[in-house]
Amino acid sequence: MMMAYGMFVFALNSAPYQELQRQTAWRHDGQGRVGKRPARQFLGPGDDTITLTGTLLPHLTGGQQNLDELREMADEGGAWPLIEGSGIFYGLYVIEGMSETKSHQMRDGSAQRIAFSLTLQRIDDESAERLGSLAAAFGRLRSGNIAGALA
């Protein structure tokens, strides 16, 4: 397992990513002053964004069904814990965006190569209504639509 996002497991046989990029910001508000640089006050942490990029080769790794599972999770709008395979807990994240590029099509139009980029945004909202629904995740698992789960 490379990483788990809620019930979705990023692994070599599901949706392996080749690159993880993390951008973290801190907020410093400026107050203008005459003849001097603005005075800055630290307001706390800002956005914490993780972008995972990778390439799926459906004949070797996961395929379109894995990206569709992530889209279903994003459609629910819930936040899920993000945990690296080494045990690092990043926090609760929501899916902010995803892009995919299909190439090397077969005769039937299916792609032999799918490049993807997934953008996750950290939230500090600890309220239960923001958490992803385990009932929905188990429903996808039962219907066979959760290709990346517990891979």
Side-chain angles (χ1 to χ4, degrees):
M1 174 184 91
M2 298 170 71
M3 183 173 287
Y5 176 63
M7 296 292 291
F8 187 89
V9 177
F10 291 91
L12 296 178
N13 62 349
S14 65
Y17 57 88
Q18 281 78 40
E19 187 173 89
L20 182 152
Q21 180 185 26
R22 185 176 186 185
Q23 289 184 311
T24 306
W26 293 268
R27 298 176 301 136
H28 296 268
D29 194 26
Q31 177 64 41
R33 301 185 298 178
V34 176
K36 296 183 179 181
R37 290 188 179 92
R40 299 271 176 204
Q41 180 179 7
F42 179 64
L43 299 178
D47 288 336
D48 192 358
T49 305
I50 291 180
T51 303
L52 302 174
T53 57
T55 302
L56 302 180
L57 305 170
H59 57 283
L60 296 176
T61 64
Q64 185 64 50
Q65 69 276 13
N66 299 96
L67 298 181
D68 291 344
E69 171 61 24
L70 289 166
R71 277 198 172 84
E72 286 181 30
M73 291 174 74
D75 286 345
E76 294 169 8
W80 293 96
L82 186 65
I83 305 168
E84 199 169 68
S86 63
I88 296 173
F89 174 69
Y90 286 95
L92 294 176
Y93 282 78
V94 294
I95 297 176
E96 191 171 77
M98 181 169 47
S99 66
E100 66 182 67
T101 304
K102 296 180 179 183
S103 61
H104 300 83
Q105 277 74 15
M106 300 289 284
R107 292 177 136 188
D108 64 357
S110 63
Q112 293 183 54
R113 184 181 175 122
I114 305 170
F116 72 92
S117 177
L118 179 69
T119 303
L120 304 168
Q121 185 69 47
R122 184 173 179 175
I123 66 164
D124 283 337
D125 190 353
E126 313 265 328
S127 61
E129 61 266 1
R130 285 303 311 259
L131 294 176
S133 168
L134 285 178
F138 285 127
R140 285 191 304 271
L141 180 61
R142 192 176 5 188
S143 67
N145 292 338
I146 190 161
L150 309 175

